[in-house]
Amino acid sequence: MVSTRLPVLTIDGPAGAGKSTVARALADRLGFVYLDTGAIYRTVALAATRASVDWSDADAVAAIAHDIVQHGKLRFDRPPGGTQRVFLDGVDVSEAIRTPEVSSGASTVSAHAPVRAALLLLQRDIAAVGGVVMEGRDTGTVVFPDADIKFFMIASPEERARRRYEELKAKGMQVDMQATLDEIIERDRRDTQRATAPLRRADDAVDVETTGVPVADVIEFMARRIEQLPKR
Ligand code: DC
C-alpha cells in the first residue's frame, strides 16, 4: 500500500552540529512542522530541578516525564518563520531551558531508559501525521526508523564549541570558550555511550559534514536530497 502521509525527515547528530538551524530552515521551506526533541529532554530536566529532583534519580525523573506527557503540560508554539517557544504548564520556558546547566541536565536525564520510554510516544505521535522535520540524537534510529529521509550532521568538537560560544554570547550570557568545549566533549561522551538509544548514525542516513561549510550551503545540499524523494 502506498502511504499518503507527508514525509518525515530526521536530523540527528552531536550537540552544536547545526541541527536546529537547518531543521528550522528546512521546515519553513517545506511548510512542515519542526520538532526539536532536545527541547523535550531539556524541559524535563528543568522540571526536575524545579521539583528538587536529582537528575540522576531515573525513576523520579521518569515520573516527572510521565506527568508532563499525561497532563499535556508541554506545548510548542512556533509562528512560521518565527522562533519556537516552549511552554511548561502554560509558562514560557524557552530561555530557561537553554542554559548550560540545563544542557547538562538534559544530557543526564536523557540517559535514563524509563525517561526515554515516557517521551517516546509523545514524539511519535507528533511525527505520525507526517510533514515533520525532527531533530535530536535518536530520531532516525529509534523514534522514527521509517523516516523518509535521515540526515546525520557532523562537525569537529572545536567548531561546535565555537558556534555554541557565539550563540550564548549573542544572548548576553557569560561564557568561557574552554568550558564550552569541555561541556561539548562531556555531552558527546554521555550521549554516545549511554545504554539506551545512544547517539549514533542510522545505517541509511545521509552524512552532512558541516565543519567550515556555510550554513546556506548545508541547507541547499539537504534540500536537494529531499527534492530527490519519490513524489507521492
Ligand atoms: O539537542 P539538544 O542539545 O537540545 O539536546 C539536549 C540533550 O538531550 C542532549 O544532550 C541529549 C538529549 N537528547 C536525546 O537524548 N535524544 C534526543 N532525541 C534529543 C536530545
Side-chain angles (χ1 to χ4, degrees):
M1 202 177 82
V2 176
S3 163
T4 52
R5 71 158 167 73
L6 285 167
V8 173
L9 279 54
T10 60
I11 305 177
D12 291 308
K19 301 183 297 292
S20 306
T21 307
V22 300
R24 274 195 297 262
L26 291 171
D28 281 344
R29 201 188 263 220
L30 298 162
F32 282 12
V33 168
Y34 162 57
L35 177 60
D36 171 6
T37 62
I40 303 176
Y41 290 97
R42 287 172 178 273
T43 305
V44 170
L46 180 71
T49 304
R50 291 186 173 173
S52 303
V53 162
D54 201 295
W55 295 328
S56 61
D57 187 339
D59 291 337
V61 178
I64 287 176
H66 273 294
D67 176 61
I68 288 175
V69 173
Q70 269 167 12
H71 297 103
K73 291 185 174 178
L74 176 66
R75 196 168 57 78
F76 290 104
D77 187 26
R78 181 168 178 263
T83 45
Q84 173 185 261
R85 309 304 300 177
V86 184
F87 295 85
L88 173 63
D89 253 338
V91 178
D92 190 339
V93 293
S94 316
E95 265 88 46
I97 61 168
R98 297 289 161 198
T99 64
E101 193 207 359
V102 174
S103 298
S104 171
S107 180
T108 303
V109 302
S110 66
H112 304 316
V115 173
R116 303 198 73 84
L119 301 174
L120 187 58
L121 287 183
L122 170 73
Q123 299 170 68
R124 284 192 180 147
D125 281 351
I126 297 172
V129 286
V132 175
V133 181
M134 329 177 72
E135 58 122 330
R137 302 294 187 287
D138 64 339
T139 61
T141 52
V142 176
V143 181
F144 226 85
D146 295 336
D148 299 81
I149 187 159
K150 304 173 185 179
F151 293 103
F152 193 77
M153 299 193 63
I154 24 197
S156 69
E158 290 74 18
E159 169 113 358
R160 292 186 282 123
R162 191 187 52 72
R163 290 178 193 161
R164 196 43 57 101
Y165 174 85
E166 304 290 350
E167 189 183 310
L168 293 173
K169 251 192 118 174
K171 285 184 187 164
M173 289 187 191
Q174 201 83 36
V175 267
D176 175 78
M177 185 60 201
Q178 187 58 47
T180 308
L181 178 60
D182 291 347
E183 192 238 330
I184 289 259
I185 291 170
E186 175 55 19
R187 275 220 281 159
D188 282 357
R189 190 192 63 72
R190 272 203 298 261
D191 294 348
T192 54
Q193 293 183 11
R194 67 179 176 226
T196 310
L199 167 65
R200 84 174 171 78
R201 175 190 182 283
D203 295 337
D204 50 352
V206 177
D207 286 327
V208 185
E209 169 59 73
T210 72
T211 309
V213 184
V215 69
D217 293 358
V218 174
I219 294 166
E220 277 316 309
F221 167 77
M222 295 168 85
R224 276 200 301 277
R225 295 302 294 249
I226 295 164
E227 280 165 16
Q228 290 163 10
L229 282 172
K231 296 279 174 280
R232 290 165 194 278

